[in-house]
């Protein structure tokens, strides 16, 4: 690698980037514009425009439309005219909420490369009786970024309100990159996104991230599928795939140039800095997988400013307890003082092989929404169900802290750890302290389907990360926990 590729960020520059990444911009919740009016019998079978101006700096336009008179059979159909004067789409009476950005749009509509200018809501009136009237309201929302937090609240309603453990898969591919499945005649073809989403739904996952290679064109497809899959949250992501490492980026559909070269800018630290500016969440994928002709760039070997990384894919597909496990790579970062969440991903390329959700990442979040899931990952409130069996629960508490949290413990203090485990009868707990397995439990066996175990940890006042896993009687990893951090 060149000296340019080894460049790290200065502390002040890094602080600005981390603040931007961690502090999501206030989401649009109130309308920027409200257009109201009335149509009557003179508008029957006519087209009417509602013009509005999109100012500079807007990245997304969202429209919510409503009208009265439906009891009198009044009908107002919808379309949108962009700043080029051309229709961006026509949804008729099928939708009352429309969103258009430079990268994605509601089904029936096309993205708009340049947002600034004079737009119009296009109303078509197929039926309005001579003596009838219809009062309409068009609420216009402007988003000044392409992060999930920039979207108005009506685009990010939770699938399930209230806190809980939510189980999902953070790494999958479809026809939008190199996902494949068998066609009706048995040929291997690019696999429609619907089948991947259906496999996640059939496995009763709460969420699925679709992470195509280097692109976000699939985000419009997710907007199409989400209303149907109203029990499974579909999250747009991308796998930044380079010749020198792969990493998933979540939480933004903004463009990001992925072209890393050994002798030119950008290098990976530049990419990570740009992802932070986009307020994205970055996870290094399969970090010790061999890089070569079978999987170019799969391993992670370049110098990296780990302060710009929020997660590491410690379990990719079936690689736990193999030489390709990402756990030792992750532990190395923990021992260097970084608080980075361990996650898992199936890396499924073939939904017909039923690999979705193996492993599953289980996140404690305030609700089932994209923002909440990403918030839970950033906090490290995560464990990985290595086999994807779907029944395991691992809930670790140390005083007021849970997995991913930090607490202070002076020398000589005893920190009570309380562990709740479900669906793991016959397995046992394994406790790791700064990468070394310890035995603080008199009996680490899990005797029932619902078990509670406890131990006290003696603090020496120094920084420690204490992680609790569930392993089989043979020592195979079943549930991978995230640490509680002491004195970090």
């Amino acid at each position: 690698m060149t000296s340019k590729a080894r460049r790290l960020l200065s502390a002040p520059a890094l602080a600005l980037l981390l603040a931007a990444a961690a502090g999501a911009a206030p989401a649009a919740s109130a309308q920027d514009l409200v257009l109201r009016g009335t149509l009557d019998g003179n508008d029957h079978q006519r087209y009417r425009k509602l013009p509005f101006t999109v100012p500079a700096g807007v990245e997304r336009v969202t429209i919510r439309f409503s009208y009265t008179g439906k009891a009198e059979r009044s009908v107002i159909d919808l379309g949108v005219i962009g700043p080029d004067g051309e229709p961006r789409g026509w949804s008729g009476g099928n939708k009352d909420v429309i969103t258009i950005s430079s990268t994605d749009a509601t089904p029936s509509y096309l993205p708009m490369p340049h947002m600034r200018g004079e737009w119009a809501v296009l109303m078509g009136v197929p039926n309005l009786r001579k003596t009838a009237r219809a009062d309409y309201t068009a609420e216009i929302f402007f988003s000044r970024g392409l992060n999930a937090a920039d979207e108005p609240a009506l685009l990010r309603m939770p699938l399930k309100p209230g806190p809980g453990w939510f189980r999902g898969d953070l790494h999958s591919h479809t026809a939008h990159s190199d996902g494949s499945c068998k066609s009706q005649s048995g040929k291997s073809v690019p696999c429609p996104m619907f089948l991947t989403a259906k496999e996640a739904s059939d496995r009763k996952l709460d969420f699925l991230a679709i992470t195509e290679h280097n692109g976000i064109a699939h985000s419009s497809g997710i907007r199409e599928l989400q209303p149907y899959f109203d029990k499974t949250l579909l999250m747009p992501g991308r796998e930044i795939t380079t010749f020198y490492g792969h990493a998933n980026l979540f939480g933004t559909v903004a463009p990001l140039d992925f072209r890393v070269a050994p002798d030119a800018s950008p290098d990976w630290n530049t990419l990570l800095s740009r992802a932070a500016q986009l307020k994205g969440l970055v996870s290094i994928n399969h970090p010790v997988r061999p890089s070569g002709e079978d999987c170019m760039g799969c391993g992670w070997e370049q110098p990296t400013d780990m302060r710009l990384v929020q997660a590491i894919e410690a379990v990719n597909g079936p690689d736990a307890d193999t030489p390709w496990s990402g756990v030792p790579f992750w532990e190395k970062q923990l021992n260097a003082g970084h608080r980075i969440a361990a996650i898992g991903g199936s890396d499924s390329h073939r939904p017909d092989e039923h690999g979705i959700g193996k492993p599953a990442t289980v996140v404690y979040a305030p609700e089932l929404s994209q923002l909440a899931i990403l918030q839970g990952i950033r906090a490290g409130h995560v464990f990985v169900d290595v086999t994807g069996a779907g029944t395991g629960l691992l809930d670790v508490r140390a005083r007021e802290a849970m997995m991913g949290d930090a607490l202070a413990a002076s020398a000589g203090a005893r920190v009570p750890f309380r562990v709740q485990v479900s669906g793991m009868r016959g397995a046992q707990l394994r406790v790791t302290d700064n990468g070394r397995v310890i035995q603080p439990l008199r009996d680490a066996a899990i005797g029932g389907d619902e078990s509670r175990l406890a131990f006290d940890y003696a603090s020496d006042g120094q920084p420690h990360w204490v992680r609790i896993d569930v392993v089989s009687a043979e020592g195979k990893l079943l549930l991978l926990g995230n640490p509680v951090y002491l004195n970090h």
Side-chain angles (χ1 to χ4, degrees):
M1 302 290 283
T2 66
S3 59
K4 184 180 294 183
R6 292 186 173 91
R7 183 177 62 245
L8 301 182
L9 290 178
S10 66
L14 178 73
L16 290 173
L17 285 171
L18 294 180
S29 56
Q31 314 92 326
D32 292 273
L33 294 172
V34 179
L35 308 176
R36 291 188 174 93
T38 300
L39 300 176
D40 59 28
N42 294 322
D43 298 296
H44 177 70
Q45 296 188 352
R46 298 288 188 270
Y47 293 99
R48 301 291 185 240
K49 293 181 182 178
L50 293 177
F52 62 94
T53 301
V54 175
V58 170
E59 299 275 1
R60 178 182 299 282
V61 173
T62 302
I63 302 164
R64 177 163 57 189
F65 189 84
S66 60
Y67 65 94
T68 65
K70 294 180 183 179
E72 290 76 37
R73 306 289 296 275
S74 299
V75 178
I76 303 176
D77 290 338
L78 284 184
V80 174
I81 295 176
D84 56 0
E86 297 296 327
R88 301 311 298 170
W90 179 260
S91 53
N94 183 250
K95 301 172 182 71
D96 56 12
V97 175
I98 300 159
T99 190
I100 298 173
S101 79
S102 59
T103 59
D104 69 282
T106 299
S108 309
Y109 294 86
L110 297 170
M112 183 69 224
H114 306 291
M115 306 296 290
R116 181 180 181 181
E118 300 301 315
W119 292 59
V121 177
L122 180 60
M123 299 184 294
V125 189
N127 190 60
L128 197 57
R129 294 171 180 171
K130 288 184 178 181
T131 59
R133 57 176 282 160
D135 299 320
Y136 62 79
T137 301
E139 301 168 85
I140 315 295
F141 302 81
F142 296 146
S143 301
R144 275 126 180 119
L146 291 173
N147 186 275
D150 298 314
E151 296 183 358
L154 74 165
L155 294 183
R156 46 184 178 81
M157 298 297 292
L159 264 63
K160 294 179 184 176
W165 289 101
F166 298 108
R167 187 177 302 268
D169 193 336
L170 289 169
H171 194 165
S172 68
H173 299 275
T174 77
H176 284 270
S177 57
D178 56 349
S180 302
C181 59
K182 290 183 178 179
S183 68
Q184 292 179 321
S185 62
K187 300 176 182 177
S188 183
V189 298
C191 199
M193 190 191 302
F194 180 87
L195 295 181
T196 298
K198 186 176 184 302
E199 176 67 13
S201 176
D202 289 347
R203 289 188 54 78
K204 301 193 184 311
L205 296 182
D206 296 302
F207 64 89
L208 171 70
I210 299 174
T211 53
E212 308 295 8
H213 295 286
N214 294 328
I216 39 76
H218 59 291
S219 55
S220 289
I222 286 177
R223 292 198 184 277
E224 177 184 3
L225 295 181
Q226 189 65 85
Y228 177 82
F229 291 100
D230 56 2
K231 294 183 179 180
T232 305
L233 175 69
L234 303 178
M235 296 168 44
R238 83 198 78 173
E239 185 171 16
I240 306 172
T241 308
T242 78
F243 306 137
Y244 307 97
H246 299 185
N248 277 345
L249 175 62
F250 305 101
T252 177
V253 293
L256 180 67
D257 192 341
F258 59 89
R259 293 173 292 178
V260 171
D263 54 357
S265 183
D267 57 22
W268 254 108
N269 286 319
T270 303
L271 253 65
L272 294 173
S273 300
R274 292 175 179 173
Q277 291 170 342
L278 297 173
K279 309 186 199 77
L281 187 154
V282 174
S283 168
I284 294 175
N285 293 345
H286 41 67
V288 298
R289 191 65 54 83
S291 180
E293 292 182 352
D294 289 337
C295 187
M296 187 59 65
C298 270
W300 194 275
E301 299 177 355
Q302 65 282 337
T304 306
D305 192 336
M306 287 292 173
R307 295 172 296 176
L308 293 169
V309 175
Q310 292 77 48
I312 291 172
E313 192 180 63
V315 185
N316 175 279
D319 70 5
D321 296 310
T322 76
W324 316 130
S325 168
V327 173
F329 178 92
W330 170 54
E331 289 183 336
K332 181 179 178 181
Q333 314 315 316
L334 299 181
N335 285 333
H338 301 293
R339 289 171 57 184
I340 301 176
I343 62 174
S346 69
D347 203 355
S348 169
H349 286 69
R350 296 198 67 100
D352 53 352
E353 294 180 354
H354 309 296
I356 293 288
K358 301 177 183 179
T361 300
V362 190
V363 182
Y364 189 84
E367 62 184 22
L368 181 55
S369 67
Q370 182 181 182
L371 283 178
I373 294 297
L374 296 182
Q375 174 187 333
I377 295 172
R378 286 184 186 276
H381 298 166
V382 176
F383 70 87
V384 180
D385 182 349
V386 173
T387 65
T391 57
L393 172 68
L394 174 63
D395 193 341
V396 178
R397 308 287 170 141
R399 293 181 187 162
E400 69 281 1
M402 65 185 302
M403 288 184 288
D405 293 342
L407 55 83
S410 59
R414 302 193 70 81
V415 180
F417 276 75
R418 303 294 180 261
V419 185
Q420 179 183 352
V421 185
S422 301
M424 290 285 118
R425 180 193 291 268
Q428 57 188 0
L429 293 190
R430 183 173 67 193
V431 184
T432 302
D433 178 9
N434 283 356
R436 181 175 60 90
V437 175
I438 61 174
Q439 297 293 343
L441 287 128
R442 185 171 299 175
D443 183 1
I446 300 170
D449 293 331
E450 297 285 341
S451 297
R452 296 179 184 273
L453 297 93
F455 64 90
D456 286 347
Y457 177 87
S459 173
D460 60 6
Q462 299 301 310
H464 287 261
W465 55 267
V466 180
R467 188 183 83 236
I468 297 173
D469 304 327
V470 176
V471 298
S472 69
E474 298 76 29
K476 297 293 185 182
L477 186 61
L478 301 175
L479 303 179
L480 172 68
N482 270 274
V484 174
Y485 298 90
L486 304 179
N487 304 314
H488 273 252

